[in-house]
Amino acid sequence: MQQGDLIEIEITDLNHTGEGVGKYRGQVIFVPDTVIGDRIQTRITYIKKSHAIGKLQTILQASPHRIRPRCIVADKCGGCQWQHIEDQFQLQVKKEQVQEVLTRIGGFTDPLVYPPLTGNSPLAYRNKATYPLGFSPTGNVQAGYYRRGSHHLINLNQCPIQDQALNPFLAEIKQDIQEQGWSIYDEKTHQGQLRHLSLRIGRHTGEILLTLISTDNNLQGIETQARQWLAKYGNLVGVTLNYNPDRGNAIFGTQTTTIAGRDYITEKFAGLTYQLAADTFFQINTEAAEALLALICQKLELKGEEILIDAYCGIGTFTLPLAKRVKEVIGLESYSFSLDRAKINAQLNNITNTTFILGAVEKTLPQLTVKPDIILLDPPRKGCDRSVLDSLLQLQSQRIVYISCQSATLARDLQYLCKTGDYQLLEVQTADFFPQTPHVECAAFLRQKNTNMVG
């Protein structure tokens, strides 16, 4: 087999980046835009020692799990990988993939994994969208997502996975930028002003925040334009300008200026009120996150006397609803802006049994003198530092709930926590925070082996 060859294969699996998997003469082939059960012709574009990559050419026989994408640019846009796969089969695959990773990496035998919890809909679920800006060949301002595997911009006027109230902004703000004559940043030459358009909406409040990310914090005419936007869009509560002059892939800079209105939206989550700024980390699928939180509360069977540590607590998304159900919560967070928001959100909801500590979990967790009953973990994709896992083993809380957006690092960390015999993995609840993509959220429930707790 050589690069450029046109071959026929059957897709028998999906990998964790969402590509279909088939074999040709014993060689593994990854092909995007396919699904288990497809028989296809694919042209080989890249060959490595472990596998080859192909581009879909012809569907000879369509899988029963294949559907027509709900987006006209689904085959080009890098925002979704699984629009061509029926929704229920997506959920089945995600559950099976988590089971496989827990077995292969974690070493667990027949781990108990439940099918994904879902939000209200597999479409129109995203409460935030940040679009890179560009110019068309004819000089018109564009906003959208990059073509898969490239920095070629696919222009969008609507997106089926974002909250549909954001579509008018996506279609119309570009025209206003064009009329203002603001330049668009070119990542090759590092010239130009505007880099991204960011939109955030409260799913339960309807409030919208519009943010422009710019290399220039003195855009001419921005104040007048911002007031016009507030007058035009009744649900728009604020326009902010984020200053990011740095080269690199980071979207937001560290300085945000309020141009009109306020610099945050209010949102309801699990019955509580939160303030969310443009760059605040908040789960992208509000309803699915609420479903996962409700299940965590149910599984923990909280009595109101527990001491709970929330490591990587962020703005208190899960911290504060849990604080309403326990005696005391200690939140650990390394990002000062998030911790400040957590404190504000606690005050907004009159929650007084929380203590928030600034610093890396690797440093703050082993310094705690309190004996927790429950530890909640929600680390970044890379998982927990080894020192954090060692601290967990030393603290010996009765329960650990480990939330993860990366099943491979979750499996690795669970294996470390359970290999000593201190903890046993009870079950893993998956959650579909990102429909139409291969990403899956997990909540793993661990119990101390020598505890007398039931459940």
Short mmCIF file of all heavy atoms in Angstrom, two decimals, residues 199-259:
data_model
loop_
_atom_site.label_atom_id
_atom_site.label_comp_id
_atom_site.label_asym_id
_atom_site.label_seq_id
_atom_site.Cartn_x
_atom_site.Cartn_y
_atom_site.Cartn_z
N LEU A 199 -19.31 34.71 21.86
CA LEU A 199 -20.70 34.89 22.29
C LEU A 199 -20.99 33.91 23.43
O LEU A 199 -20.66 32.73 23.33
CB LEU A 199 -21.66 34.63 21.13
CG LEU A 199 -21.49 35.51 19.89
CD1 LEU A 199 -22.28 34.95 18.72
CD2 LEU A 199 -21.91 36.95 20.19
N ARG A 200 -21.61 34.39 24.48
CA ARG A 200 -21.99 33.53 25.62
C ARG A 200 -23.44 33.83 25.98
O ARG A 200 -23.84 35.00 26.04
CB ARG A 200 -21.07 33.79 26.80
CG ARG A 200 -21.59 33.33 28.15
CD ARG A 200 -20.47 33.16 29.15
NE ARG A 200 -19.99 31.78 29.15
CZ ARG A 200 -18.82 31.40 29.65
NH1 ARG A 200 -17.99 32.30 30.15
NH2 ARG A 200 -18.48 30.12 29.62
N ILE A 201 -24.21 32.76 26.23
CA ILE A 201 -25.63 32.93 26.56
C ILE A 201 -25.98 32.14 27.81
O ILE A 201 -25.45 31.04 28.03
CB ILE A 201 -26.53 32.49 25.37
CG1 ILE A 201 -28.01 32.79 25.68
CG2 ILE A 201 -26.33 31.03 25.03
CD1 ILE A 201 -28.92 32.65 24.48
N GLY A 202 -26.85 32.71 28.63
CA GLY A 202 -27.41 31.98 29.76
C GLY A 202 -28.58 31.15 29.28
O GLY A 202 -29.59 31.69 28.82
N ARG A 203 -28.47 29.84 29.37
CA ARG A 203 -29.51 28.96 28.84
C ARG A 203 -30.83 29.14 29.60
O ARG A 203 -31.91 28.96 29.03
CB ARG A 203 -29.05 27.51 28.95
CG ARG A 203 -27.88 27.18 28.06
CD ARG A 203 -28.28 26.97 26.63
NE ARG A 203 -28.97 25.70 26.45
CZ ARG A 203 -29.44 25.26 25.29
NH1 ARG A 203 -29.30 26.01 24.21
NH2 ARG A 203 -30.04 24.09 25.19
N HIS A 204 -30.74 29.50 30.87
CA HIS A 204 -31.95 29.66 31.68
C HIS A 204 -32.37 31.11 31.83
O HIS A 204 -33.50 31.38 32.27
CB HIS A 204 -31.75 29.03 33.06
CG HIS A 204 -31.54 27.54 33.02
ND1 HIS A 204 -32.42 26.68 32.40
CD2 HIS A 204 -30.55 26.76 33.52
CE1 HIS A 204 -31.99 25.44 32.52
NE2 HIS A 204 -30.84 25.46 33.18
N THR A 205 -31.50 32.04 31.50
CA THR A 205 -31.84 33.46 31.62
C THR A 205 -31.99 34.15 30.27
O THR A 205 -32.66 35.18 30.17
CB THR A 205 -30.78 34.21 32.43
OG1 THR A 205 -29.53 34.18 31.71
CG2 THR A 205 -30.59 33.60 33.81
N GLY A 206 -31.35 33.61 29.24
CA GLY A 206 -31.40 34.24 27.91
C GLY A 206 -30.44 35.39 27.74
O GLY A 206 -30.34 35.96 26.64
N GLU A 207 -29.71 35.77 28.79
CA GLU A 207 -28.77 36.90 28.68
C GLU A 207 -27.59 36.54 27.79
O GLU A 207 -27.09 35.40 27.84
CB GLU A 207 -28.29 37.31 30.07
CG GLU A 207 -29.37 37.91 30.95
CD GLU A 207 -28.83 38.47 32.25
OE1 GLU A 207 -27.60 38.34 32.51
OE2 GLU A 207 -29.62 39.05 33.00
N ILE A 208 -27.14 37.50 27.00
CA ILE A 208 -26.04 37.28 26.05
C ILE A 208 -24.94 38.31 26.30
O ILE A 208 -25.22 39.49 26.53
CB ILE A 208 -26.54 37.36 24.60
CG1 ILE A 208 -27.50 36.20 24.30
CG2 ILE A 208 -25.37 37.33 23.61
CD1 ILE A 208 -28.14 36.25 22.93
N LEU A 209 -23.71 37.83 26.22
CA LEU A 209 -22.53 38.69 26.32
C LEU A 209 -21.74 38.57 25.02
O LEU A 209 -21.48 37.46 24.55
CB LEU A 209 -21.65 38.27 27.50
CG LEU A 209 -20.38 39.09 27.76
CD1 LEU A 209 -20.74 40.51 28.18
CD2 LEU A 209 -19.53 38.41 28.84
N LEU A 210 -21.38 39.69 24.42
CA LEU A 210 -20.62 39.73 23.17
C LEU A 210 -19.22 40.26 23.48
O LEU A 210 -19.08 41.32 24.10
CB LEU A 210 -21.33 40.62 22.15
CG LEU A 210 -20.77 40.68 20.72
CD1 LEU A 210 -21.87 41.12 19.76
CD2 LEU A 210 -19.57 41.62 20.58
N THR A 211 -18.21 39.54 23.03
CA THR A 211 -16.83 39.96 23.26
C THR A 211 -16.05 39.91 21.95
O THR A 211 -16.11 38.92 21.22
CB THR A 211 -16.15 39.05 24.30
OG1 THR A 211 -16.89 39.11 25.52
CG2 THR A 211 -14.71 39.48 24.55
N LEU A 212 -15.31 40.96 21.67
CA LEU A 212 -14.37 40.98 20.57
C LEU A 212 -12.97 40.80 21.15
O LEU A 212 -12.60 41.49 22.11
CB LEU A 212 -14.45 42.29 19.80
CG LEU A 212 -15.75 42.56 19.04
CD1 LEU A 212 -15.72 43.96 18.42
CD2 LEU A 212 -16.01 41.51 17.97
N ILE A 213 -12.19 39.89 20.57
CA ILE A 213 -10.80 39.70 20.99
C ILE A 213 -9.93 40.41 19.96
O ILE A 213 -10.02 40.13 18.76
CB ILE A 213 -10.45 38.21 21.11
CG1 ILE A 213 -11.26 37.56 22.23
CG2 ILE A 213 -8.96 38.04 21.40
CD1 ILE A 213 -12.50 36.88 21.81
N SER A 214 -9.08 41.31 20.45
CA SER A 214 -8.38 42.22 19.55
C SER A 214 -6.93 42.42 19.97
O SER A 214 -6.60 42.34 21.17
CB SER A 214 -9.09 43.58 19.54
OG SER A 214 -8.39 44.53 18.77
N THR A 215 -6.09 42.70 19.02
CA THR A 215 -4.70 43.09 19.30
C THR A 215 -4.59 44.57 19.63
O THR A 215 -3.53 45.06 20.01
CB THR A 215 -3.79 42.79 18.10
OG1 THR A 215 -4.23 43.57 16.98
CG2 THR A 215 -3.83 41.31 17.73
N ASP A 216 -5.70 45.29 19.45
CA ASP A 216 -5.74 46.74 19.66
C ASP A 216 -6.84 47.04 20.67
O ASP A 216 -8.02 46.73 20.42
CB ASP A 216 -6.04 47.43 18.33
CG ASP A 216 -6.05 48.96 18.43
OD1 ASP A 216 -5.91 49.47 19.55
OD2 ASP A 216 -6.20 49.60 17.38
N ASN A 217 -6.50 47.61 21.81
CA ASN A 217 -7.53 47.91 22.81
C ASN A 217 -8.11 49.31 22.65
O ASN A 217 -8.79 49.80 23.57
CB ASN A 217 -6.98 47.71 24.23
CG ASN A 217 -5.78 48.59 24.52
OD1 ASN A 217 -5.36 49.37 23.68
ND2 ASN A 217 -5.24 48.47 25.73
N ASN A 218 -7.87 49.94 21.51
CA ASN A 218 -8.45 51.25 21.22
C ASN A 218 -9.10 51.26 19.85
O ASN A 218 -8.75 52.05 18.97
CB ASN A 218 -7.38 52.35 21.30
CG ASN A 218 -6.89 52.58 22.72
OD1 ASN A 218 -7.66 52.95 23.59
ND2 ASN A 218 -5.59 52.34 22.94
N LEU A 219 -10.07 50.35 19.66
CA LEU A 219 -10.76 50.29 18.37
C LEU A 219 -11.58 51.57 18.16
O LEU A 219 -12.44 51.91 18.99
CB LEU A 219 -11.69 49.07 18.33
CG LEU A 219 -11.06 47.69 18.23
CD1 LEU A 219 -12.14 46.62 18.23
CD2 LEU A 219 -10.21 47.55 16.96
N GLN A 220 -11.35 52.24 17.06
CA GLN A 220 -12.06 53.48 16.77
C GLN A 220 -13.55 53.18 16.54
O GLN A 220 -13.91 52.33 15.74
CB GLN A 220 -11.46 54.16 15.54
CG GLN A 220 -12.04 55.53 15.26
CD GLN A 220 -11.33 56.25 14.12
OE1 GLN A 220 -10.39 55.72 13.54
NE2 GLN A 220 -11.77 57.46 13.80
N GLY A 221 -14.40 53.89 17.26
CA GLY A 221 -15.84 53.75 17.08
C GLY A 221 -16.47 52.61 17.85
O GLY A 221 -17.69 52.39 17.72
N ILE A 222 -15.71 51.92 18.69
CA ILE A 222 -16.24 50.75 19.36
C ILE A 222 -17.35 51.11 20.36
O ILE A 222 -18.33 50.39 20.52
CB ILE A 222 -15.11 49.95 20.07
CG1 ILE A 222 -15.66 48.67 20.72
CG2 ILE A 222 -14.38 50.81 21.08
CD1 ILE A 222 -16.22 47.66 19.78
N GLU A 223 -17.22 52.28 21.04
CA GLU A 223 -18.22 52.65 22.03
C GLU A 223 -19.59 52.89 21.38
O GLU A 223 -20.61 52.40 21.86
CB GLU A 223 -17.79 53.91 22.80
CG GLU A 223 -16.59 53.72 23.69
CD GLU A 223 -15.27 53.89 22.96
OE1 GLU A 223 -15.30 54.18 21.72
OE2 GLU A 223 -14.21 53.76 23.60
N THR A 224 -19.59 53.60 20.27
CA THR A 224 -20.84 53.87 19.56
C THR A 224 -21.45 52.58 19.03
O THR A 224 -22.66 52.34 19.16
CB THR A 224 -20.60 54.85 18.40
OG1 THR A 224 -20.08 56.07 18.91
CG2 THR A 224 -21.90 55.13 17.65
N GLN A 225 -20.61 51.72 18.45
CA GLN A 225 -21.11 50.46 17.91
C GLN A 225 -21.67 49.57 19.03
O GLN A 225 -22.71 48.93 18.85
CB GLN A 225 -19.98 49.73 17.18
CG GLN A 225 -20.40 48.40 16.55
CD GLN A 225 -21.45 48.57 15.47
OE1 GLN A 225 -21.15 48.96 14.35
NE2 GLN A 225 -22.71 48.27 15.80
N ALA A 226 -21.00 49.55 20.16
CA ALA A 226 -21.46 48.72 21.28
C ALA A 226 -22.84 49.19 21.76
O ALA A 226 -23.72 48.36 22.06
CB ALA A 226 -20.45 48.76 22.41
N ARG A 227 -23.03 50.49 21.85
CA ARG A 227 -24.35 51.01 22.28
C ARG A 227 -25.42 50.66 21.26
O ARG A 227 -26.56 50.33 21.62
CB ARG A 227 -24.27 52.53 22.47
CG ARG A 227 -23.46 52.94 23.71
CD ARG A 227 -23.70 54.42 24.04
NE ARG A 227 -23.20 55.30 22.98
CZ ARG A 227 -21.97 55.79 22.94
NH1 ARG A 227 -21.09 55.49 23.89
NH2 ARG A 227 -21.61 56.61 21.96
N GLN A 228 -25.06 50.68 19.98
CA GLN A 228 -26.02 50.30 18.94
C GLN A 228 -26.39 48.83 19.06
O GLN A 228 -27.56 48.46 18.89
CB GLN A 228 -25.43 50.60 17.56
CG GLN A 228 -25.31 52.08 17.25
CD GLN A 228 -24.58 52.35 15.93
OE1 GLN A 228 -24.09 51.42 15.27
NE2 GLN A 228 -24.50 53.62 15.53
N TRP A 229 -25.41 47.98 19.36
CA TRP A 229 -25.71 46.56 19.54
C TRP A 229 -26.65 46.34 20.73
O TRP A 229 -27.58 45.56 20.65
CB TRP A 229 -24.41 45.78 19.74
CG TRP A 229 -23.64 45.56 18.47
CD1 TRP A 229 -24.14 45.51 17.20
CD2 TRP A 229 -22.23 45.35 18.34
NE1 TRP A 229 -23.13 45.28 16.28
CE2 TRP A 229 -21.95 45.19 16.96
CE3 TRP A 229 -21.18 45.30 19.26
CZ2 TRP A 229 -20.66 44.95 16.48
CZ3 TRP A 229 -19.89 45.08 18.78
CH2 TRP A 229 -19.63 44.91 17.42
N LEU A 230 -26.38 47.04 21.84
CA LEU A 230 -27.25 46.89 23.01
C LEU A 230 -28.68 47.33 22.70
O LEU A 230 -29.65 46.71 23.16
CB LEU A 230 -26.71 47.70 24.19
CG LEU A 230 -25.54 47.11 24.98
CD1 LEU A 230 -25.16 48.04 26.12
CD2 LEU A 230 -25.87 45.73 25.53
N ALA A 231 -28.82 48.37 21.91
CA ALA A 231 -30.15 48.85 21.55
C ALA A 231 -30.86 47.91 20.58
O ALA A 231 -32.08 47.74 20.64
CB ALA A 231 -30.04 50.25 20.95
N LYS A 232 -30.08 47.26 19.72
CA LYS A 232 -30.67 46.40 18.68
C LYS A 232 -31.08 45.04 19.22
O LYS A 232 -32.13 44.51 18.84
CB LYS A 232 -29.65 46.22 17.55
CG LYS A 232 -30.14 45.33 16.40
CD LYS A 232 -29.09 45.25 15.30
CE LYS A 232 -29.56 44.37 14.15
NZ LYS A 232 -28.55 44.28 13.06
N TYR A 233 -30.25 44.47 20.10
CA TYR A 233 -30.50 43.11 20.59
C TYR A 233 -30.98 43.17 22.04
O TYR A 233 -30.20 43.46 22.95
CB TYR A 233 -29.23 42.26 20.48
CG TYR A 233 -28.67 42.17 19.08
CD1 TYR A 233 -27.53 42.90 18.72
CD2 TYR A 233 -29.27 41.38 18.11
CE1 TYR A 233 -27.00 42.82 17.43
CE2 TYR A 233 -28.76 41.31 16.82
CZ TYR A 233 -27.62 42.02 16.49
OH TYR A 233 -27.10 41.95 15.22
N GLY A 234 -32.25 42.88 22.24
CA GLY A 234 -32.85 43.03 23.55
C GLY A 234 -32.26 42.13 24.62
O GLY A 234 -32.28 42.47 25.81
N ASN A 235 -31.73 40.97 24.23
CA ASN A 235 -31.18 40.03 25.22
C ASN A 235 -29.68 40.22 25.43
O ASN A 235 -29.06 39.49 26.22
CB ASN A 235 -31.48 38.59 24.83
CG ASN A 235 -31.13 38.30 23.36
OD1 ASN A 235 -30.73 39.20 22.63
ND2 ASN A 235 -31.30 37.05 22.95
N LEU A 236 -29.08 41.19 24.74
CA LEU A 236 -27.65 41.47 24.91
C LEU A 236 -27.47 42.37 26.13
O LEU A 236 -28.03 43.46 26.20
CB LEU A 236 -27.10 42.15 23.66
CG LEU A 236 -25.59 42.45 23.65
CD1 LEU A 236 -24.78 41.17 23.65
CD2 LEU A 236 -25.23 43.31 22.43
N VAL A 237 -26.68 41.91 27.10
CA VAL A 237 -26.51 42.68 28.35
C VAL A 237 -25.15 43.35 28.45
O VAL A 237 -24.94 44.17 29.33
CB VAL A 237 -26.73 41.78 29.58
CG1 VAL A 237 -28.14 41.20 29.60
CG2 VAL A 237 -25.69 40.66 29.66
N GLY A 238 -24.23 42.98 27.57
CA GLY A 238 -22.91 43.59 27.66
C GLY A 238 -22.07 43.36 26.42
O GLY A 238 -22.23 42.37 25.70
N VAL A 239 -21.18 44.32 26.16
CA VAL A 239 -20.18 44.22 25.09
C VAL A 239 -18.82 44.48 25.72
O VAL A 239 -18.62 45.52 26.37
CB VAL A 239 -20.44 45.22 23.95
CG1 VAL A 239 -19.33 45.13 22.90
CG2 VAL A 239 -21.81 44.99 23.33
N THR A 240 -17.91 43.55 25.56
CA THR A 240 -16.58 43.72 26.14
C THR A 240 -15.52 43.55 25.05
O THR A 240 -15.76 42.93 24.01
CB THR A 240 -16.31 42.70 27.27
OG1 THR A 240 -16.34 41.37 26.74
CG2 THR A 240 -17.35 42.82 28.37
N LEU A 241 -14.34 44.11 25.33
CA LEU A 241 -13.21 44.02 24.42
C LEU A 241 -12.06 43.35 25.17
O LEU A 241 -11.60 43.86 26.20
CB LEU A 241 -12.80 45.41 23.95
CG LEU A 241 -11.64 45.47 22.94
CD1 LEU A 241 -12.04 44.84 21.61
CD2 LEU A 241 -11.19 46.92 22.73
N ASN A 242 -11.63 42.21 24.67
CA ASN A 242 -10.51 41.50 25.28
C ASN A 242 -9.25 41.80 24.48
O ASN A 242 -9.22 41.67 23.25
CB ASN A 242 -10.77 39.99 25.31
CG ASN A 242 -9.60 39.22 25.89
OD1 ASN A 242 -8.75 38.73 25.16
ND2 ASN A 242 -9.55 39.11 27.22
N TYR A 243 -8.21 42.20 25.20
CA TYR A 243 -6.96 42.61 24.57
C TYR A 243 -5.98 41.45 24.58
O TYR A 243 -5.55 40.97 25.62
CB TYR A 243 -6.38 43.80 25.35
CG TYR A 243 -5.05 44.31 24.84
CD1 TYR A 243 -4.88 44.68 23.51
CD2 TYR A 243 -3.98 44.46 25.72
CE1 TYR A 243 -3.66 45.18 23.06
CE2 TYR A 243 -2.76 44.96 25.29
CZ TYR A 243 -2.61 45.31 23.95
OH TYR A 243 -1.40 45.80 23.51
N ASN A 244 -5.64 40.97 23.39
CA ASN A 244 -4.68 39.88 23.25
C ASN A 244 -3.71 40.20 22.11
O ASN A 244 -3.95 39.85 20.95
CB ASN A 244 -5.38 38.55 22.98
CG ASN A 244 -4.41 37.38 22.88
OD1 ASN A 244 -3.22 37.53 23.15
ND2 ASN A 244 -4.91 36.22 22.48
N PRO A 245 -2.58 40.85 22.43
CA PRO A 245 -1.60 41.19 21.40
C PRO A 245 -0.57 40.09 21.16
O PRO A 245 0.30 40.24 20.28
CB PRO A 245 -0.92 42.42 22.00
CG PRO A 245 -0.93 42.15 23.48
CD PRO A 245 -2.20 41.39 23.75
N ASP A 246 -0.65 38.99 21.92
CA ASP A 246 0.38 37.97 21.89
C ASP A 246 0.25 37.04 20.68
O ASP A 246 -0.86 36.74 20.23
CB ASP A 246 0.35 37.13 23.17
CG ASP A 246 0.59 37.98 24.41
OD1 ASP A 246 1.29 39.00 24.28
OD2 ASP A 246 0.07 37.63 25.48
N ARG A 247 1.36 36.58 20.20
CA ARG A 247 1.36 35.53 19.19
C ARG A 247 1.08 34.20 19.88
O ARG A 247 1.34 34.02 21.05
CB ARG A 247 2.70 35.47 18.47
CG ARG A 247 3.06 36.78 17.77
CD ARG A 247 4.34 36.64 16.97
NE ARG A 247 4.70 37.91 16.31
CZ ARG A 247 5.66 38.03 15.41
NH1 ARG A 247 6.37 36.97 15.04
NH2 ARG A 247 5.91 39.20 14.86
N GLY A 248 0.53 33.27 19.13
CA GLY A 248 0.24 31.97 19.73
C GLY A 248 -1.23 31.62 19.60
O GLY A 248 -2.03 32.37 19.01
N ASN A 249 -1.62 30.47 20.18
CA ASN A 249 -2.96 29.93 19.99
C ASN A 249 -3.94 30.32 21.09
O ASN A 249 -5.12 29.98 20.99
CB ASN A 249 -2.90 28.40 19.89
CG ASN A 249 -2.15 27.94 18.65
OD1 ASN A 249 -2.23 28.60 17.61
ND2 ASN A 249 -1.43 26.84 18.75
N ALA A 250 -3.48 30.96 22.15
CA ALA A 250 -4.40 31.35 23.22
C ALA A 250 -5.43 32.34 22.68
O ALA A 250 -5.08 33.32 22.01
CB ALA A 250 -3.63 31.98 24.38
N ILE A 251 -6.70 32.07 22.94
CA ILE A 251 -7.76 32.92 22.40
C ILE A 251 -7.86 34.22 23.19
O ILE A 251 -7.82 35.31 22.62
CB ILE A 251 -9.11 32.17 22.41
CG1 ILE A 251 -9.05 31.01 21.42
CG2 ILE A 251 -10.24 33.12 22.03
CD1 ILE A 251 -10.29 30.14 21.41
N PHE A 252 -7.98 34.11 24.50
CA PHE A 252 -8.18 35.31 25.33
C PHE A 252 -6.87 35.82 25.90
O PHE A 252 -6.00 35.03 26.30
CB PHE A 252 -9.13 34.99 26.49
CG PHE A 252 -10.58 34.89 26.08
CD1 PHE A 252 -11.14 33.68 25.75
CD2 PHE A 252 -11.37 36.03 26.02
CE1 PHE A 252 -12.46 33.57 25.37
CE2 PHE A 252 -12.70 35.95 25.64
CZ PHE A 252 -13.25 34.71 25.32
N GLY A 253 -6.75 37.14 25.97
CA GLY A 253 -5.68 37.77 26.71
C GLY A 253 -6.11 37.97 28.15
O GLY A 253 -7.21 37.58 28.56
N THR A 254 -5.28 38.63 28.94
CA THR A 254 -5.56 38.78 30.36
C THR A 254 -6.34 40.05 30.70
O THR A 254 -6.80 40.21 31.83
CB THR A 254 -4.24 38.80 31.17
OG1 THR A 254 -3.43 39.88 30.69
CG2 THR A 254 -3.49 37.49 31.01
N GLN A 255 -6.52 40.94 29.72
CA GLN A 255 -7.18 42.22 30.00
C GLN A 255 -8.49 42.32 29.22
O GLN A 255 -8.51 42.23 27.99
CB GLN A 255 -6.25 43.38 29.60
CG GLN A 255 -6.86 44.77 29.81
CD GLN A 255 -5.95 45.87 29.30
OE1 GLN A 255 -4.73 45.72 29.26
NE2 GLN A 255 -6.53 46.99 28.90
N THR A 256 -9.59 42.51 29.95
CA THR A 256 -10.90 42.69 29.32
C THR A 256 -11.51 44.00 29.79
O THR A 256 -11.57 44.27 30.99
CB THR A 256 -11.84 41.52 29.66
OG1 THR A 256 -11.27 40.30 29.20
CG2 THR A 256 -13.20 41.70 28.97
N THR A 257 -11.99 44.81 28.83
CA THR A 257 -12.59 46.11 29.12
C THR A 257 -14.07 46.07 28.78
O THR A 257 -14.46 45.57 27.72
CB THR A 257 -11.91 47.21 28.30
OG1 THR A 257 -10.50 47.20 28.57
CG2 THR A 257 -12.49 48.59 28.63
N THR A 258 -14.89 46.59 29.68
CA THR A 258 -16.32 46.68 29.41
C THR A 258 -16.59 47.92 28.56
O THR A 258 -16.28 49.04 28.97
CB THR A 258 -17.12 46.77 30.73
OG1 THR A 258 -16.78 45.67 31.56
CG2 THR A 258 -18.61 46.76 30.45
N ILE A 259 -17.16 47.72 27.38
CA ILE A 259 -17.43 48.84 26.47
C ILE A 259 -18.84 49.37 26.69
O ILE A 259 -19.06 50.59 26.68
CB ILE A 259 -17.27 48.38 25.00
CG1 ILE A 259 -15.88 47.76 24.78
CG2 ILE A 259 -17.50 49.55 24.05
CD1 ILE A 259 -14.73 48.69 25.09
#
